[in-house]
Amino acid sequence: MSQSRSTVDRLMADASGRRPRADARRNVERLVEAARIAVAEVGVGVSAHEIARRAGVGVGTFYRRIPSLDALLELVLVEILDEIGELADRAAQDRDPWHGFCAFAASYVRLRAESCGISEALGGACATGLAERLERLREHFRCLVERAQAAGAMRTDLAWQDVPFLLAAAATGGSTVGLRAGDQQWERNLRVILDGLRHAPSGQLPGAAPA
């Protein structure tokens, strides 16, 4: 996929300008793909040994081909956040602001529900290296929410800053109070939240908007 190739190219960059060997590139491609899957399943606490094992290479190969574990994880998270940004750009171009917002919300919550790592990153893990992307994502949220509100499609008594918290709440864990989530639980949660975003307020919201 193009996003993975972009990450591979950045990892394979050689100041000498020499073309990397084919086997070296294959190993980096396998490590990047393994890192994406491991970040989704395990989270940002995944180890270099685990990524190497999933890629089918030795940990020595990992450290010969990858500058550091932190560098690899940051690049993987950056490309995923860039993908979210592209989804937001497409949503902002939808002629129907509410339809565009809902499409983005569904993709965003699905990603949070399916990837431990991106959920952790959006919650503040690796924040230093991802600060620029998170700032862009906040701007995307502001744009999409204010666009839907201006069209009369979303209640106006909430701030755009409320919406990321509401969508994060839709990406629930697998169990609570001894109950197991259904296989479409996040979609059910999101439907209720979207209905709440559209409906007229029943009273003033308590407290201040998130900062």
XYZ file of all heavy atoms in Angstrom, residues 92-191:
763
model
N -15.016 17.013 4.542
C -15.231 18.459 4.429
C -15.658 18.868 3.031
O -16.200 19.964 2.841
C -13.959 19.211 4.823
N -15.423 18.002 2.047
C -15.811 18.299 0.668
C -17.197 17.773 0.325
O -17.728 18.056 -0.760
C -14.785 17.702 -0.293
C -13.405 18.350 -0.190
C -12.330 17.587 -0.914
O -12.611 16.669 -1.686
N -11.081 17.954 -0.681
N -17.799 17.012 1.245
C -19.144 16.486 1.019
C -20.133 17.649 0.959
O -20.112 18.530 1.820
C -19.516 15.526 2.160
C -20.725 14.667 1.833
O -21.747 15.213 1.374
O -20.639 13.446 2.054
N -21.001 17.634 -0.018
C -21.966 18.726 -0.162
C -22.963 18.755 0.996
O -23.567 19.787 1.274
C -22.701 18.587 -1.501
C -21.775 18.757 -2.702
C -22.516 18.610 -4.006
N -23.500 19.664 -4.199
C -24.311 19.756 -5.258
N -24.231 18.835 -6.222
N -25.164 20.744 -5.360
N -23.153 17.609 1.642
C -24.038 17.522 2.805
C -23.163 17.485 4.058
O -22.529 16.469 4.345
C -24.886 16.251 2.707
C -25.881 16.115 3.865
O -25.616 16.664 4.950
O -26.906 15.431 3.684
N -23.080 18.579 4.815
C -22.184 18.623 5.975
C -22.450 17.523 6.997
O -21.502 16.994 7.593
C -22.427 20.010 6.568
C -22.913 20.833 5.421
C -23.744 19.885 4.598
N -23.725 17.185 7.225
C -24.019 16.141 8.200
C -23.578 14.771 7.687
O -22.998 13.977 8.429
C -25.512 16.126 8.533
C -25.873 15.050 9.515
C -26.607 13.922 9.285
C -25.497 14.988 10.901
N -26.712 13.164 10.419
C -26.041 13.797 11.435
C -24.764 15.826 11.745
C -25.863 13.420 12.763
C -24.581 15.456 13.070
C -25.127 14.264 13.565
N -23.826 14.481 6.441
C -23.399 13.210 5.859
C -21.877 13.085 5.919
O -21.343 12.027 6.268
C -23.886 13.090 4.412
C -23.478 11.818 3.741
N -22.298 11.676 3.037
C -24.093 10.607 3.693
C -22.202 10.451 2.576
N -23.277 9.776 2.954
N -21.187 14.171 5.582
C -19.732 14.147 5.634
C -19.231 13.906 7.040
O -18.314 13.109 7.251
N -19.832 14.593 8.006
C -19.414 14.405 9.399
C -19.658 12.971 9.852
O -18.787 12.365 10.501
C -20.167 15.368 10.322
C -19.925 15.086 11.778
C -18.757 15.517 12.396
C -20.848 14.359 12.524
C -18.518 15.229 13.735
C -20.613 14.073 13.862
C -19.439 14.501 14.460
N -20.809 12.407 9.536
C -21.128 11.044 9.967
C -20.173 10.023 9.347
O -19.767 9.064 10.011
C -22.567 10.692 9.615
S -23.804 11.569 10.603
N -19.827 10.228 8.069
C -18.891 9.313 7.415
C -17.528 9.358 8.097
O -16.896 8.325 8.344
C -18.768 9.663 5.936
N -17.079 10.570 8.413
C -15.800 10.700 9.116
C -15.884 10.071 10.499
O -14.971 9.344 10.929
C -15.410 12.168 9.235
C -14.233 12.393 10.142
C -12.955 12.084 9.722
C -14.420 12.880 11.432
C -11.858 12.266 10.568
C -13.340 13.075 12.284
C -12.052 12.756 11.844
N -16.966 10.351 11.221
C -17.120 9.829 12.578
C -17.066 8.309 12.587
O -16.429 7.704 13.463
C -18.430 10.321 13.189
N -17.723 7.662 11.622
C -17.729 6.199 11.567
C -16.329 5.649 11.339
O -15.901 4.696 11.998
C -18.679 5.723 10.472
N -15.584 6.256 10.413
C -14.216 5.797 10.145
C -13.315 6.038 11.345
O -12.485 5.195 11.694
C -13.657 6.518 8.912
O -14.407 6.211 7.765
N -13.483 7.179 11.971
C -12.654 7.542 13.121
C -12.898 6.601 14.300
O -11.949 6.091 14.909
C -12.966 8.985 13.505
C -12.205 9.513 14.695
C -10.887 9.936 14.577
C -12.809 9.599 15.953
C -10.191 10.434 15.674
C -12.125 10.093 17.051
C -10.812 10.505 16.911
O -10.124 10.991 17.993
N -14.161 6.347 14.612
C -14.472 5.480 15.745
C -14.061 4.040 15.446
O -13.561 3.337 16.321
C -15.966 5.563 16.106
C -16.310 4.573 17.215
C -16.322 6.975 16.557
N -14.247 3.594 14.201
C -13.815 2.245 13.854
C -12.319 2.086 14.100
O -11.878 1.084 14.669
C -14.116 1.940 12.394
C -13.633 0.543 11.964
C -13.784 0.295 10.481
N -15.187 0.252 10.102
C -15.798 1.177 9.372
N -15.116 2.248 8.951
N -17.060 1.058 9.057
N -11.543 3.064 13.689
C -10.099 2.988 13.876
C -9.736 2.965 15.352
O -8.876 2.191 15.784
C -9.428 4.171 13.183
C -7.907 4.142 13.101
C -7.415 2.871 12.426
C -7.401 5.355 12.341
N -10.390 3.791 16.139
C -10.131 3.803 17.579
C -10.506 2.462 18.199
O -9.819 1.963 19.087
C -10.913 4.917 18.267
C -10.400 6.317 17.983
C -10.899 7.303 19.043
N -10.308 7.002 20.335
C -9.757 7.911 21.127
N -9.714 9.181 20.771
N -9.248 7.566 22.303
N -11.600 1.875 17.755
C -12.066 0.621 18.330
C -11.167 -0.550 17.939
O -10.994 -1.491 18.715
C -13.507 0.343 17.887
N -10.593 -0.488 16.743
C -9.825 -1.621 16.232
C -8.335 -1.513 16.493
O -7.615 -2.501 16.343
C -10.074 -1.773 14.728
C -11.522 -2.141 14.386
C -11.776 -2.220 12.891
O -10.853 -1.832 12.129
O -12.860 -2.664 12.495
N -7.828 -0.338 16.860
C -6.385 -0.161 17.045
C -6.075 0.360 18.438
O -6.378 1.512 18.753
C -5.827 0.806 15.996
O -4.459 1.073 16.242
N -5.461 -0.492 19.252
C -5.032 -0.051 20.588
C -4.064 1.116 20.476
O -4.144 2.088 21.216
C -4.352 -1.203 21.326
S -5.427 -2.562 21.763
N -3.132 1.005 19.530
C -2.083 2.009 19.416
C -2.590 3.378 19.038
O -2.178 4.384 19.633
N -3.496 3.450 18.058
C -3.972 4.772 17.645
C -4.854 5.367 18.732
O -4.848 6.585 18.962
C -4.723 4.717 16.298
C -4.833 6.124 15.706
C -6.079 4.090 16.416
C -3.510 6.776 15.396
N -5.589 4.523 19.468
C -6.389 5.030 20.574
C -5.485 5.620 21.652
O -5.767 6.689 22.206
C -7.247 3.905 21.161
O -8.107 4.400 22.162
N -4.360 4.942 21.929
C -3.402 5.445 22.911
C -2.757 6.738 22.429
O -2.565 7.679 23.204
C -2.328 4.387 23.174
C -2.848 3.170 23.926
C -1.856 2.016 23.928
O -0.880 2.061 23.148
O -2.056 1.072 24.694
N -2.410 6.779 21.135
C -1.775 7.984 20.586
C -2.720 9.172 20.650
O -2.321 10.285 21.007
C -1.338 7.730 19.142
N -4.002 8.944 20.327
C -4.974 10.027 20.392
C -5.222 10.458 21.837
O -5.622 11.590 22.093
C -6.284 9.583 19.745
C -6.208 9.392 18.226
C -7.442 8.655 17.717
C -6.055 10.724 17.511
N -4.950 9.554 22.770
C -5.105 9.884 24.186
C -3.894 10.561 24.790
O -3.916 10.934 25.956
N -2.813 10.703 23.990
C -1.655 11.435 24.490
C -0.345 10.685 24.458
O 0.710 11.275 24.675
N -0.356 9.368 24.196
C 0.897 8.621 24.113
C 1.687 9.087 22.888
O 1.102 9.400 21.848
C 0.613 7.122 24.010
N 2.995 9.152 23.009
C 3.870 9.609 21.915
C 3.518 11.025 21.477
O 3.712 11.385 20.308
C 3.789 8.675 20.707
S 4.039 6.942 21.082
N 2.990 11.823 22.376
C 2.456 13.135 21.987
C 3.522 14.059 21.404
O 3.227 14.867 20.523
C 1.794 13.806 23.188
N 4.768 13.947 21.872
C 5.799 14.866 21.396
C 6.004 14.737 19.900
O 5.998 15.720 19.162
C 7.131 14.603 22.127
O 6.925 14.785 23.527
C 8.204 15.568 21.647
N 6.164 13.502 19.422
C 6.409 13.296 18.002
C 5.181 13.480 17.142
O 5.293 13.644 15.921
N 3.997 13.441 17.742
C 2.753 13.521 16.975
C 2.048 14.862 17.142
O 0.934 15.032 16.655
C 1.809 12.399 17.413
C 2.351 10.970 17.304
C 1.312 9.986 17.817
C 2.739 10.635 15.880
N 2.689 15.810 17.809
C 2.016 17.068 18.161
C 1.448 17.775 16.939
O 0.318 18.282 16.966
C 2.989 17.982 18.903
N 2.212 17.823 15.855
C 1.750 18.532 14.655
C 0.521 17.856 14.073
O -0.445 18.527 13.681
C 2.867 18.575 13.618
C 2.487 19.317 12.346
C 3.609 19.319 11.317
O 4.758 18.964 11.677
O 3.340 19.666 10.155
N 0.534 16.510 14.012
C -0.620 15.790 13.467
C -1.842 15.952 14.351
O -2.960 16.094 13.856
C -0.276 14.314 13.320
C 0.144 13.878 11.941
C 1.439 14.475 11.529
N 1.846 14.058 10.195
C 3.056 14.274 9.711
N 3.970 14.901 10.466
N 3.377 13.897 8.489
N -1.657 15.922 15.663
C -2.792 16.085 16.559
C -3.386 17.495 16.453
O -4.603 17.666 16.539
C -2.363 15.789 18.000
C -1.971 14.333 18.283
C -1.476 14.187 19.709
C -3.139 13.395 18.023
N -2.524 18.475 16.240
C -3.031 19.836 16.045
C -3.875 19.919 14.774
O -4.950 20.540 14.756
C -1.868 20.820 15.970
C -2.306 22.271 15.835
C -1.147 23.255 15.842
O 0.007 22.818 16.044
O -1.408 24.447 15.642
N -3.399 19.275 13.714
C -4.181 19.254 12.469
C -5.511 18.547 12.678
O -6.542 18.976 12.151
C -3.400 18.525 11.368
C -2.212 19.287 10.824
C -1.605 18.502 9.684
N -0.239 18.912 9.393
C 0.581 18.247 8.595
N 0.171 17.121 8.030
N 1.806 18.685 8.370
N -5.483 17.449 13.434
C -6.717 16.709 13.669
C -7.715 17.547 14.456
O -8.920 17.522 14.170
C -6.409 15.405 14.406
C -7.582 14.462 14.646
C -8.308 14.131 13.348
C -7.097 13.190 15.319
N -7.239 18.309 15.419
C -8.144 19.206 16.145
C -8.781 20.208 15.191
O -9.978 20.514 15.302
C -7.383 19.934 17.263
C -6.987 19.028 18.421
C -6.516 19.827 19.632
N -5.249 20.519 19.378
C -4.057 19.977 19.567
N -3.939 18.734 19.990
N -2.952 20.679 19.349
N -8.004 20.716 14.257
C -8.544 21.668 13.275
C -9.585 20.995 12.384
O -10.603 21.599 12.027
C -7.412 22.252 12.439
C -7.851 23.282 11.411
C -8.542 24.498 12.006
O -8.366 24.765 13.226
O -9.283 25.180 11.270
N -9.345 19.741 12.020
C -10.333 18.994 11.228
C -11.640 18.870 12.002
O -12.728 19.064 11.437
C -9.795 17.601 10.885
C -8.779 17.578 9.792
N -9.002 18.160 8.559
C -7.542 17.015 9.738
C -7.937 17.961 7.794
N -7.039 17.286 8.485
N -11.549 18.519 13.275
C -12.754 18.407 14.091
C -13.498 19.736 14.137
O -14.726 19.789 13.974
C -12.393 17.957 15.510
C -12.440 16.469 15.706
C -11.276 15.733 15.844
C -13.655 15.811 15.761
C -11.326 14.360 16.027
C -13.713 14.436 15.942
C -12.545 13.707 16.079
N -12.771 20.807 14.387
C -13.399 22.123 14.468
C -14.139 22.442 13.163
O -15.299 22.876 13.181
C -12.358 23.205 14.753
C -12.967 24.584 14.992
C -11.915 25.670 14.980
N -11.279 25.789 13.673
C -11.846 26.385 12.621
N -13.058 26.916 12.720
N -11.208 26.446 11.461
N -13.475 22.209 12.050
C -14.062 22.508 10.745
C -15.332 21.698 10.502
O -16.365 22.248 10.105
C -13.027 22.236 9.650
S -13.660 22.379 7.965
N -15.265 20.386 10.737
C -16.409 19.519 10.446
C -17.591 19.822 11.356
O -18.741 19.846 10.909
C -15.998 18.050 10.588
C -14.999 17.537 9.545
C -14.581 16.107 9.871
C -15.596 17.606 8.141
N -17.319 20.072 12.640
C -18.403 20.360 13.577
C -19.040 21.710 13.258
O -20.275 21.823 13.172
C -17.884 20.330 15.034
C -18.940 20.878 15.998
C -17.497 18.912 15.423
N -18.234 22.737 13.078
C -18.779 24.066 12.812
C -19.520 24.100 11.471
O -20.521 24.808 11.325
C -17.662 25.102 12.848
C -17.107 25.298 14.270
C -16.011 26.336 14.348
O -15.583 26.836 13.278
O -15.573 26.647 15.477
N -19.063 23.322 10.509
C -19.746 23.245 9.213
C -21.135 22.623 9.377
O -22.119 23.111 8.811
C -18.886 22.430 8.255
C -19.358 22.382 6.817
C -18.271 21.782 5.931
N -18.721 21.674 4.549
C -19.153 20.558 3.999
N -19.179 19.427 4.707
N -19.558 20.535 2.740
N -21.219 21.550 10.167
C -22.512 20.903 10.395
C -23.439 21.795 11.212
O -24.649 21.848 10.962
C -22.297 19.560 11.101
N -22.878 22.513 12.171
C -23.697 23.421 12.971
C -24.224 24.577 12.119
O -25.385 24.971 12.232
C -22.888 23.957 14.147
C -22.612 22.913 15.222
C -21.695 23.422 16.319
O -20.793 24.214 16.057
N -21.915 22.968 17.552
N -23.369 25.116 11.253
C -23.786 26.234 10.396
C -24.903 25.820 9.443
O -25.741 26.645 9.056
C -22.588 26.766 9.617
N -24.936 24.526 9.079
C -25.971 24.024 8.180
C -27.252 23.673 8.921
O -28.240 23.258 8.296
C -25.451 22.790 7.438
N -27.242 23.839 10.250
C -28.416 23.513 11.040
C -28.589 22.020 11.273
O -29.667 21.576 11.677
N -27.543 21.235 11.017
C -27.634 19.782 11.131
C -27.163 19.257 12.476
O -27.415 18.100 12.817
C -26.819 19.124 10.019
N -26.496 20.079 13.260
C -25.968 19.641 14.555
C -26.329 20.678 15.615
O -26.286 21.881 15.339
C -24.441 19.471 14.490
C -23.818 18.921 15.766
S -21.986 18.846 15.708
C -21.729 17.592 14.470
N -26.674 20.210 16.785
C -27.029 21.114 17.877
C -25.874 22.080 18.147
O -24.702 21.725 18.032
C -27.391 20.325 19.131
C -26.330 19.348 19.568
C -26.823 18.391 20.643
N -27.062 19.077 21.910
C -27.558 18.463 22.996
N -27.872 17.174 22.944
N -27.731 19.135 24.116
N -26.234 23.290 18.495
C -25.238 24.353 18.634
C -24.903 24.696 20.082
O -24.131 25.624 20.335
C -25.733 25.632 17.936
O -26.987 26.025 18.498
C -25.882 25.407 16.446
N -25.453 23.943 21.019
C -25.169 24.257 22.420
C -23.904 23.565 22.916
O -23.548 23.689 24.082
C -26.357 23.881 23.304
C -26.606 22.378 23.322
O -26.400 21.736 22.268
O -27.003 21.844 24.367
N -23.216 22.826 22.055
C -21.974 22.193 22.463
C -20.822 22.783 21.659
O -21.012 23.300 20.556
C -22.023 20.674 22.275
C -21.856 20.083 20.880
C -21.620 18.588 20.982
C -23.068 20.347 20.016
N -19.641 22.728 22.223
C -18.445 23.206 21.547
C -17.871 22.091 20.683
O -18.111 20.906 20.945
C -17.403 23.657 22.576
N -17.114 22.467 19.662
C -16.506 21.422 18.828
C -15.591 20.537 19.650
O -15.424 19.351 19.354
C -15.750 22.039 17.648
C -14.478 22.779 18.007
C -14.318 24.118 18.191
C -13.179 22.193 18.225
N -13.018 24.403 18.517
C -12.290 23.249 18.535
C -12.693 20.889 18.186
C -10.941 23.026 18.819
C -11.343 20.663 18.459
C -10.479 21.729 18.769
N -15.015 21.097 20.729
C -14.108 20.312 21.570
C -14.819 19.162 22.288
O -14.169 18.207 22.723
C -13.433 21.210 22.615
C -12.489 22.256 22.028
C -13.158 23.602 21.824
O -14.367 23.659 21.577
N -12.397 24.671 21.931
N -16.144 19.256 22.427
C -16.883 18.160 23.048
C -16.892 16.909 22.158
O -16.938 15.782 22.664
C -18.345 18.568 23.300
C -18.500 19.559 24.429
O -18.055 19.251 25.554
O -19.072 20.638 24.193
N -16.876 17.112 20.872
C -17.123 16.011 19.935
C -16.044 14.930 19.965
O -16.376 13.737 19.951
C -17.358 16.568 18.523
C -17.507 15.435 17.501
C -18.608 17.449 18.513
N -14.745 15.259 20.006
C -13.749 14.179 20.102
C -13.950 13.294 21.333
O -13.723 12.078 21.265
C -12.416 14.941 20.180
C -12.675 16.233 19.497
C -14.094 16.571 19.850
N -14.393 13.875 22.443
C -14.649 13.076 23.642
C -15.850 12.149 23.437
O -15.848 10.991 23.862
C -14.883 13.985 24.848
C -13.624 14.584 25.408
C -13.196 15.836 24.996
C -12.865 13.895 26.338
C -12.034 16.391 25.501
C -11.701 14.444 26.855
C -11.279 15.695 26.429
N -16.883 12.669 22.781
C -18.066 11.849 22.523
C -17.733 10.679 21.608
O -18.170 9.546 21.845
C -19.166 12.713 21.910
C -19.744 13.794 22.819
C -20.649 14.735 22.028
C -20.499 13.165 23.977
N -16.950 10.935 20.560
C -16.592 9.855 19.644
C -15.658 8.848 20.309
O -15.741 7.645 20.045
C -15.953 10.423 18.371
C -16.847 11.335 17.522
C -16.160 11.671 16.203
C -18.207 10.702 17.274
N -14.772 9.335 21.171
C -13.901 8.413 21.906
C -14.728 7.492 22.793
O -14.387 6.320 22.984
C -12.895 9.198 22.739
N -15.825 8.008 23.348
C -16.675 7.201 24.223
C -17.375 6.083 23.451
O -17.735 5.052 24.032
C -17.709 8.090 24.906
N -17.561 6.277 22.140
C -18.223 5.242 21.336
C -17.335 4.021 21.167
O -17.824 2.897 21.025
C -18.609 5.802 19.970
N -16.017 4.228 21.173
C -15.064 3.130 20.985
C -14.831 2.437 22.316
O -13.765 2.525 22.910
C -13.761 3.665 20.398
N -15.835 1.747 22.789
C -15.815 1.152 24.116
C -14.896 -0.064 24.188
O -14.509 -0.627 23.159
C -17.246 0.737 24.510
O -17.241 0.242 25.824
C -17.770 -0.333 23.580
N -14.593 -0.484 25.402
C -13.831 -1.709 25.595
C -14.686 -2.936 25.333
O -15.875 -2.846 25.006
N -14.083 -4.105 25.518
C -14.780 -5.349 25.187
C -15.759 -5.833 26.235
O -16.592 -6.708 25.954
N -15.680 -5.282 27.451
C -16.600 -5.730 28.490
C -16.777 -4.647 29.540
O -15.931 -3.772 29.711
C -16.072 -7.009 29.156
O -14.841 -6.760 29.815
N -17.896 -4.710 30.238
C -18.159 -3.807 31.355
C -19.232 -4.436 32.234
O -20.152 -5.100 31.726
C -18.597 -2.408 30.868
O -18.742 -1.549 31.998
C -19.912 -2.440 30.112
N -19.118 -4.270 33.528
C -20.015 -4.824 34.560
C -20.400 -6.277 34.273
O -21.547 -6.686 34.489
C -21.279 -3.944 34.764
C -20.890 -2.566 35.265
C -22.124 -3.839 33.497
N -19.458 -7.036 33.779
C -19.705 -8.449 33.516
C -20.419 -8.744 32.213
O -20.767 -9.893 31.936
N -20.632 -7.710 31.392
C -21.273 -7.890 30.089
C -20.235 -7.824 28.976
O -19.291 -7.038 29.055
C -22.319 -6.796 29.860
C -23.457 -6.715 30.871
C -24.297 -5.471 30.601
C -24.326 -7.965 30.798
N -20.417 -8.628 27.955
C -19.518 -8.609 26.800
C -20.120 -7.777 25.687
O -21.314 -7.880 25.379
C -19.272 -10.036 26.293
C -18.477 -10.899 27.267
C -18.333 -12.318 26.763
N -17.693 -12.346 25.455
C -17.582 -13.452 24.715
N -18.096 -14.598 25.154
N -16.969 -13.411 23.557
N -19.298 -6.947 25.075
C -19.770 -6.099 23.979
C -20.188 -6.949 22.787
O -19.608 -8.003 22.518
C -18.667 -5.129 23.561
N -21.205 -6.488 22.072
C -21.601 -7.155 20.844
C -20.594 -6.890 19.739
O -19.742 -6.005 19.853
N -20.694 -7.630 18.649
C -19.707 -7.492 17.576
C -19.846 -6.176 16.812
O -18.965 -5.811 16.046
C -19.767 -8.677 16.609
C -21.136 -8.837 15.949
O -22.066 -8.087 16.310
O -21.270 -9.713 15.080
N -20.934 -5.464 17.009
C -21.124 -4.143 16.399
C -21.351 -3.078 17.472
O -22.024 -2.077 17.224
C -22.299 -4.170 15.415
C -22.064 -5.020 14.175
C -23.255 -4.984 13.245
O -24.289 -5.609 13.503
N -23.124 -4.245 12.165
N -20.737 -3.286 18.630
C -21.024 -2.407 19.762
C -20.670 -0.958 19.482
O -21.437 -0.046 19.799
C -20.286 -2.890 21.015
C -20.750 -2.218 22.293
C -22.199 -2.550 22.599
O -22.578 -3.717 22.672
N -23.021 -1.520 22.788
N -19.500 -0.723 18.889
C -19.107 0.666 18.655
C -20.067 1.345 17.689
O -20.342 2.536 17.801
C -17.663 0.764 18.165
C -17.409 0.270 16.775
C -16.942 -0.957 16.408
C -17.591 1.004 15.554
N -16.820 -1.040 15.039
C -17.203 0.154 14.491
C -18.028 2.291 15.250
C -17.261 0.537 13.152
C -18.089 2.688 13.909
C -17.697 1.814 12.888
N -20.613 0.574 16.724
C -21.566 1.156 15.785
C -22.870 1.517 16.486
O -23.483 2.551 16.180
C -21.823 0.182 14.634
C -20.595 -0.086 13.773
C -20.843 -1.132 12.721
O -21.397 -0.774 11.664
O -20.486 -2.307 12.946
N -23.307 0.665 17.397
C -24.515 0.969 18.181
C -24.282 2.208 19.031
O -25.137 3.114 19.093
C -24.878 -0.224 19.064
C -25.349 -1.446 18.285
C -25.414 -2.682 19.174
N -26.393 -2.539 20.248
C -27.690 -2.819 20.129
N -28.168 -3.250 18.967
N -28.508 -2.681 21.146
N -23.133 2.255 19.685
C -22.813 3.430 20.511
C -22.806 4.703 19.671
O -23.341 5.744 20.077
C -21.452 3.256 21.171
C -21.398 2.081 22.138
O -22.424 1.553 22.539
N -20.192 1.675 22.497
N -22.161 4.611 18.516
C -22.037 5.791 17.658
C -23.404 6.266 17.182
O -23.657 7.477 17.117
C -21.128 5.488 16.464
C -20.939 6.637 15.471
C -20.328 7.851 16.149
C -20.074 6.191 14.292
N -24.295 5.342 16.842
C -25.628 5.740 16.373
C -26.361 6.554 17.437
O -26.992 7.576 17.139
C -26.433 4.486 16.014
C -27.853 4.773 15.527
C -27.842 5.519 14.201
N -27.186 4.749 13.176
C -27.781 3.803 12.436
N -29.058 3.517 12.625
N -27.101 3.182 11.505
